[in-house]
Short mmCIF file of all heavy atoms in Angstrom, two decimals:
data_model
loop_
_atom_site.label_atom_id
_atom_site.label_comp_id
_atom_site.label_asym_id
_atom_site.label_seq_id
_atom_site.Cartn_x
_atom_site.Cartn_y
_atom_site.Cartn_z
N GLN F 16 23.35 29.82 29.69
CA GLN F 16 24.47 30.14 28.96
C GLN F 16 25.65 29.62 29.63
O GLN F 16 26.75 29.54 29.13
CB GLN F 16 24.43 31.70 28.86
CG GLN F 16 25.44 32.30 27.91
CD GLN F 16 25.29 31.85 26.53
OE1 GLN F 16 24.08 31.74 25.96
NE2 GLN F 16 26.32 31.49 25.73
N PHE F 18 26.41 26.87 30.92
CA PHE F 18 26.74 25.51 30.46
C PHE F 18 27.13 25.68 29.01
O PHE F 18 28.25 25.05 28.69
CB PHE F 18 25.34 24.57 30.40
CG PHE F 18 25.55 23.25 29.90
CD1 PHE F 18 26.31 22.29 30.68
CD2 PHE F 18 25.22 22.88 28.67
CE1 PHE F 18 26.52 21.15 30.31
CE2 PHE F 18 25.45 21.68 28.17
CZ PHE F 18 26.17 20.70 29.03
N LYS F 26 31.42 19.92 28.71
CA LYS F 26 30.02 19.64 28.34
C LYS F 26 29.77 18.20 28.05
O LYS F 26 28.80 17.62 28.47
CB LYS F 26 29.62 20.58 27.13
CG LYS F 26 29.45 22.07 27.54
CD LYS F 26 28.81 22.80 26.39
CE LYS F 26 29.73 23.08 25.19
NZ LYS F 26 29.19 24.01 24.18
N VAL F 39 19.67 4.04 32.51
CA VAL F 39 19.42 2.79 33.25
C VAL F 39 18.37 2.97 34.31
O VAL F 39 18.14 2.02 35.09
CB VAL F 39 20.76 2.42 33.93
CG1 VAL F 39 21.90 2.03 32.87
CG2 VAL F 39 21.33 3.50 34.74
N LEU F 54 31.01 12.83 39.12
CA LEU F 54 31.72 13.75 38.43
C LEU F 54 32.80 14.68 39.19
O LEU F 54 33.74 15.32 38.68
CB LEU F 54 30.80 14.82 37.72
CG LEU F 54 29.98 14.12 36.47
CD1 LEU F 54 28.96 15.19 36.13
CD2 LEU F 54 30.84 13.91 35.32
N ASN F 67 16.36 22.91 36.38
CA ASN F 67 15.87 21.91 37.35
C ASN F 67 16.15 20.52 36.57
O ASN F 67 16.64 20.57 35.47
CB ASN F 67 14.46 22.10 37.63
CG ASN F 67 13.60 22.33 36.39
OD1 ASN F 67 13.70 21.76 35.46
ND2 ASN F 67 12.65 23.28 36.59
N LYS F 85 20.98 13.26 12.24
CA LYS F 85 22.03 13.41 11.34
C LYS F 85 22.12 12.19 10.54
O LYS F 85 22.88 12.17 9.51
CB LYS F 85 23.38 13.72 12.13
CG LYS F 85 23.40 15.04 12.83
CD LYS F 85 24.69 15.41 13.47
CE LYS F 85 24.79 16.74 14.12
NZ LYS F 85 26.03 16.94 14.88
N TYR F 106 15.74 2.17 9.72
CA TYR F 106 16.47 1.27 10.70
C TYR F 106 17.93 1.08 10.43
O TYR F 106 18.88 0.94 11.30
CB TYR F 106 15.72 -0.11 10.80
CG TYR F 106 14.63 -0.01 11.87
CD1 TYR F 106 13.31 0.24 11.47
CD2 TYR F 106 14.89 -0.32 13.18
CE1 TYR F 106 12.41 0.31 12.41
CE2 TYR F 106 13.83 -0.30 14.10
CZ TYR F 106 12.48 -0.02 13.68
OH TYR F 106 11.51 -0.01 14.64
N GLN F 111 23.45 2.54 12.29
CA GLN F 111 24.73 3.23 12.26
C GLN F 111 24.84 4.22 13.55
O GLN F 111 25.84 4.30 14.06
CB GLN F 111 24.89 3.90 10.92
CG GLN F 111 26.17 4.55 10.79
CD GLN F 111 26.34 5.30 9.48
OE1 GLN F 111 25.41 5.15 8.64
NE2 GLN F 111 27.47 5.96 9.27
N HIS F 121 21.25 4.44 23.83
CA HIS F 121 20.78 3.93 25.12
C HIS F 121 19.68 4.77 25.75
O HIS F 121 18.71 4.41 26.22
CB HIS F 121 21.91 3.64 26.15
CG HIS F 121 22.53 2.24 25.81
ND1 HIS F 121 21.87 1.11 26.23
CD2 HIS F 121 23.74 1.98 25.34
CE1 HIS F 121 22.75 0.04 25.97
NE2 HIS F 121 23.84 0.57 25.35
N LEU F 126 13.86 5.87 26.64
CA LEU F 126 13.03 7.08 26.83
C LEU F 126 11.58 6.78 27.16
O LEU F 126 11.00 7.57 28.07
CB LEU F 126 13.02 7.90 25.51
CG LEU F 126 12.45 9.22 25.52
CD1 LEU F 126 12.94 10.13 26.62
CD2 LEU F 126 12.54 9.94 24.16
N TYR F 139 5.13 13.07 28.71
CA TYR F 139 4.64 11.85 27.93
C TYR F 139 3.50 11.96 27.03
O TYR F 139 3.65 11.56 25.81
CB TYR F 139 4.55 10.74 28.88
CG TYR F 139 4.04 9.37 28.35
CD1 TYR F 139 4.98 8.63 27.71
CD2 TYR F 139 2.75 8.98 28.40
CE1 TYR F 139 4.56 7.35 27.12
CE2 TYR F 139 2.37 7.82 27.70
CZ TYR F 139 3.23 7.03 27.16
OH TYR F 139 2.84 5.87 26.54
N LYS F 155 -1.16 8.85 5.87
CA LYS F 155 -2.08 9.82 4.99
C LYS F 155 -1.42 10.02 3.64
O LYS F 155 -2.09 9.88 2.72
CB LYS F 155 -2.40 10.98 5.73
CG LYS F 155 -3.38 11.84 5.08
CD LYS F 155 -3.43 13.36 5.63
CE LYS F 155 -4.07 13.37 7.01
NZ LYS F 155 -4.21 14.71 7.51
N LYS F 170 -5.51 7.24 10.76
CA LYS F 170 -5.13 7.17 12.08
C LYS F 170 -4.87 5.91 12.58
O LYS F 170 -4.00 5.71 13.42
CB LYS F 170 -6.31 7.86 13.03
CG LYS F 170 -6.43 9.42 12.70
CD LYS F 170 -7.62 10.03 13.55
CE LYS F 170 -7.56 11.47 13.49
NZ LYS F 170 -6.48 12.13 14.00
N THR F 171 -5.66 4.98 12.20
CA THR F 171 -5.45 3.48 12.67
C THR F 171 -4.06 2.99 12.13
O THR F 171 -3.33 2.43 12.77
CB THR F 171 -6.57 2.62 12.12
OG1 THR F 171 -7.79 3.04 12.77
CG2 THR F 171 -6.21 1.14 12.43
N PHE F 174 -1.07 4.56 13.95
CA PHE F 174 -0.97 4.06 15.31
C PHE F 174 -0.21 2.80 15.20
O PHE F 174 0.76 2.44 16.07
CB PHE F 174 -2.36 3.95 16.11
CG PHE F 174 -2.06 3.61 17.50
CD1 PHE F 174 -1.77 4.74 18.46
CD2 PHE F 174 -2.23 2.46 18.02
CE1 PHE F 174 -1.56 4.47 19.86
CE2 PHE F 174 -2.00 2.09 19.37
CZ PHE F 174 -1.77 3.23 20.30
N LYS F 178 3.50 1.56 16.78
CA LYS F 178 3.48 0.32 17.66
C LYS F 178 4.49 -0.72 17.12
O LYS F 178 5.07 -1.43 17.73
CB LYS F 178 2.02 -0.25 17.84
CG LYS F 178 1.25 0.40 18.86
CD LYS F 178 1.88 0.36 20.23
CE LYS F 178 0.90 0.82 21.29
NZ LYS F 178 1.65 0.72 22.76
N ILE F 181 7.87 -0.15 18.33
CA ILE F 181 7.90 -0.51 19.84
C ILE F 181 7.92 -2.02 19.84
O ILE F 181 8.81 -2.65 20.64
CB ILE F 181 6.69 -0.02 20.53
CG1 ILE F 181 6.69 1.46 20.63
CG2 ILE F 181 6.68 -0.47 22.07
CD1 ILE F 181 7.69 2.31 21.23
N SER F 190 13.27 -11.84 23.58
CA SER F 190 13.99 -13.05 23.07
C SER F 190 15.49 -12.98 23.51
O SER F 190 16.10 -14.13 23.20
CB SER F 190 13.87 -13.09 21.55
OG SER F 190 14.51 -12.08 20.87
N ILE F 221 7.63 -6.31 8.29
CA ILE F 221 7.23 -5.70 7.02
C ILE F 221 6.40 -6.70 6.14
O ILE F 221 5.39 -6.15 5.66
CB ILE F 221 8.50 -5.27 6.13
CG1 ILE F 221 9.08 -3.98 6.81
CG2 ILE F 221 8.05 -4.96 4.77
CD1 ILE F 221 10.37 -3.43 6.20
#
Side-chain angles (χ1 to χ4, degrees):
Q16 194 60 43
F18 180 78
K26 281 194 289 187
V39 297
L54 289 170
N67 49 44
K85 291 178 181 178
Y106 269 92
Q111 184 182 355
H121 273 286
L126 185 56
Y139 172 78
K155 185 189 292 186
K170 288 184 175 292
T171 297
F174 192 80
K178 280 296 187 178
I181 301 296
S190 61
I221 285 174

